[in-house]
Amino acid sequence: MRTLAPVDLSLIEPALDAYADIPGSLITILQETQETYGYLPMSVMEHIAERTHTPIATIVGVATFYAQFRLEPVGKHLIMLCQGTACHVNGSQLISAAVTDELGIEDGQTTEDGLFSLKHVACLGCCSLSPVMMIDDRTYGSLTPDKARKILRELAAEDGEGDEAK
Amino acid sequence: MRIIVGEGSCGLAAGAGAVHTQLEALIAQDNPRGVQLGITGCIGMCFLEPIVDVYEDDGTLHRLVRVQAKDAQTIYDAVMGGNLELLGKLAITPEDEQFLSKQTRVALRNCGIIDPESIDDYLAHGGYQAITKILETGMSQEDVIQQIDVAGLRGRGGAGFSTAFKWRAARDSQGEQKYLICNADEGDPGAFMDRAVIEGDPHSLIEGMLIGAYSIGASEAIVYVRAEYPLAIIRLRKAIEDATARGYLGEHICGSDFSCTLRIKAGAGAFVCGEETALIESLEGKRGMPRLKPPFPAQAGYWLKPSNINNVETYANVAWIVSHGGEAFAAMGTENSKGTKVFALSGKIARGGLVEVPMGTTLREVIFDIGGGIRSGKEFKAVQLGGPSGGCVPASKLDTVIDYNELAATGAIMGSGGMVVMDETTCMVSMARFFLDFTAKESCGKCVHCRLGTKRMLEILDRIVAGKGEQGDIEKLEDLCYAIKDGALCGLGQTAPNPVLTTIRYFRDELEAHIDEHRCPAGECRDLISYSIDKTVCVGCTACARQCPVGAISGERKSPHEIDPALCIKCGNCKTACRFGAVKVA
Ligand SMILES: Cc1cc2nc3c(=O)[nH]c(=O)nc-3n(C[C@H](O)[C@H](O)[C@H](O)COP(=O)(O)O)c2cc1C
Ligand code: FES
């Protein structure tokens, strides 16, 4: 497991200043939190509870209700693998097996090196290019198991090069 | 001359971004003919993406398809050299053109034509004229609602409720503050109509919402967009800024007494939030659990104030209706389903994409005449309508017309527009299991019938696809279906049994084959099939052996290979890898 860096609570202050007093903004605040830290650290949720005068149970309740929120950090690249109807009909199970085999992770997990996290989602809205996956806001369509493996290897290789350059 | 690159999500996924970058670089170097490079949203022909439209100065269109970055030079040379013949090999075929020519576009009227990031382009195509007409000629709220009523517009989000009825209810509801909400949650997996409208023509959504807000007396409007649609959010945000800057949103719109603001709320990923009362809970920052109705949102919605919620496509029709008159809309369609409907055609279809047709068109016309039927020459088996709330319609019902009542009579529903086509290789039992898995996961847990009922159904279906079905399972499923339909609190639970009920109704033989003979006729259910290599077809190319993740395939190069069933995990890699069709599934 990777160790977690201590969380800097001040990073979320601008969002809290903007939204803490507007009723109904909890989801927006949590979205900002995830945008800032990559996930929802417990200490930040406790801080939000204090600042918004909301019970922590309510905040965790909302955080665990929605699929978008993560309570743990994700890898550098987030793979969203579509399991929607069209992708299912066009063989998304084969893609998912290939990705799992290639990276050694299942839905919801992150690779040891922290490079990739895998998340199954229902429909990315590109059904006519199914099967589809999205990695960091870029969509890849008409996948085959081979093509999926290749995309992952290329991304991993790019990162390797970047590291050497440093 | 103008070169327009189709840059909806699907175009971008197919590589439109790289095409654009290349063209931009070439044009930046030298542009002797003053060619303009622009973008547009999804024209709906997703199977041909990336698409580039070249418009001559007289408006003549050359539509280029499956364009890759390397083709940019050809396009540039053709356009700059005035030699458009060069584009021939990229041009769309007359056959593929039929995809569009058989459609009637109202909600999608501007999609794939205008630049979604330019309010001027929208204005040049008649945009904001409907709201201007209402405000300048002093049409009353009732005058507007009357047009919507004459049009016979029914909600496109799935339930098909009369829009005029809802607007009147919200208008008549007492309250200083009222809200108008747009449901852009588009949760049905396999549907992308609303995404295309927002990405391709965000201003017509805004205009439709403004007209709605005026009609019910709302001064605040909100669009609840799915988190998975980042591009839609970006384009809508830009459209809101531009419309505000031009005085179409904000205080005293078009110099009138009518004021209305509009903001976006990004969803956070929960199917149930597409249900209107759950959506309202989510807007209030809570867990998206549905409320008991009544009271309806028109009486007590967002912050318990009178609220009206409609779907994206519903609003996208509104400005057209006001401009052309309710009668023009009602002239299309059937007795009780007026106008057009957008469908997202996908699955095993030859030409997948967005289709808008008049109500009353048959399923066969949509799937075969427009969609080109099944790709790779296989046999059509069923079409799934309405996603997790709908059902699978078999080949025998292909002549059913698109009409709320006719489709409901098949056991499916009109739904929001997802149309996933399946061929003989799709197992209908596995499909039913797929949907129950979805609803069981997405059930919010508030009511017992849905929370536990869907889980019990899923367990039975899990057993059946694993070859462990028992006599009486079908009856047990039916009992559960009716109990859940009657007992569930919201539409999610009430409609969750539909995929199972239609499978029992039309594909009982497939269910029985799984239960009685432990056989999957479509060859899809892993526990019930085995892979083998036809020795008379195999040429020994070793492609399959190289793809096998568990080393279950053996054989010398250039001689037939063999699969060890004890090792095989039935991943299907070998079948995909084989170019000779030698891998058989039984
Ligand atoms: C589980 C469930 C999911 C729904 N999802 C959506 C959706 O994604 N988009 C939508 O417009 N309506 C959806 N609806 C329907 C809405 O509750 C509501 O009827 C609709 O937004 C009203 O708009 P309309 O009258 O314009 O169709 C859903 C309903 C249920 C029960
Ligand atoms: S089903 Fe996968 S993108 Fe829609």
Side-chain angles (χ1 to χ4, degrees), chain B residues 425-464:
Chain B
T425 63
T426 314
C427 170
M428 303 314 289
V429 185
S430 159
M431 210 58 225
R433 197 212 75 90
F434 168 85
F435 282 115
L436 259 292
D437 180 53
F438 181 85
T439 36
K441 278 188 190 136
E442 294 292 341
S443 171
C444 76
K446 185 164 178 172
C447 73
V448 159
H449 281 81
C450 176
R451 182 178 72 236
L452 297 182
T454 53
K455 194 149 176 54
R456 293 290 94 86
M457 285 176 74
L458 177 61
E459 284 164 359
I460 297 176
L461 290 163
D462 269 337
R463 267 200 289 112
I464 297 177

Side-chain angles (χ1 to χ4, degrees), chain A residues 82-88 122-128 130-132, chain B residues 189-192 346:
Chain A
C82 182
Q83 305 287 320
T85 320
C87 290
H88 171 84
C123 197
L124 294 165
C126 290
C127 317
S128 33
S130 55
V132 177
Chain B
F192 52 95
S346 70

Side-chain angles (χ1 to χ4, degrees), chain A residues 85-108:
Chain A
T85 320
C87 290
H88 171 84
V89 168
N90 280 318
S92 58
Q93 307 93 300
L94 298 182
I95 311 302
S96 135
V99 172
T100 292
D101 179 58
E102 182 73 29
L103 300 177
I105 48 170
E106 309 258 355
D107 181 20

Side-chain angles (χ1 to χ4, degrees), chain A residues 76 115 158-166:
Chain A
K76 181 160 178 209
L115 209 49
E158 273 171 32
D159 281 304
E161 276 164 28
D163 289 346
E164 272 155 38
K166 278 182 222 150

Side-chain angles (χ1 to χ4, degrees), chain B residues 257-429:
Chain B
D257 287 339
F258 171 54
S259 300
C260 185
T261 60
L262 198 157
R263 63 186 163 96
I264 301 174
K265 177 86 192 128
F271 173 65
V272 70
C273 289
E275 198 281 332
E276 54 191 12
T277 60
L279 187 150
I280 289 172
E281 290 281 305
S282 181
L283 277 179
E284 295 179 2
K286 305 183 203 142
R287 289 163 72 94
M289 302 233 198
R291 299 175 180 170
L292 205 58
K293 290 189 273 192
F296 291 94
Q299 286 102 38
Y302 185 45
W303 299 125
L304 300 179
K305 304 274 193 267
S307 308
N308 176 70
I309 301 192
N310 281 118
N311 165 265
V312 175
E313 189 187 333
T314 312
Y315 286 126
N317 283 307
V318 167
W320 191 95
I321 293 171
V322 172
S323 295
H324 294 75
E327 285 93 3
F329 193 82
M332 296 179 281
T334 62
E335 180 63 34
N336 54 49
S337 306
K338 303 295 188 195
T340 59
K341 177 78 195 86
V342 183
F343 291 96
L345 200 52
S346 70
K348 305 276 187 174
I349 191 90
R351 301 199 284 253
L354 276 188
V355 174
E356 181 168 358
V357 288
M359 300 275 191
T361 308
T362 66
L363 291 173
R364 187 188 301 281
E365 285 169 304
V366 173
I367 295 166
F368 287 88
D369 296 353
I370 296 175
I374 302 291
R375 60 166 186 255
S376 65
K378 295 221 169 64
E379 186 105 14
F380 171 91
K381 186 171 188 174
V383 56
Q384 212 286 339
L385 300 173
S389 312
C392 291
V393 179
S396 60
K397 299 268 175 197
L398 270 175
D399 291 313
T400 308
V401 298
I402 292 166
D403 170 290
Y404 289 97
N405 302 10
E406 298 283 323
L407 287 176
T410 67
I413 55 170
M414 172 82 78
S416 61
M419 216 186 238
V420 185
V421 175
M422 297 157 199
D423 70 11
E424 57 197 286
T425 63
T426 314
C427 170
M428 303 314 289
V429 185

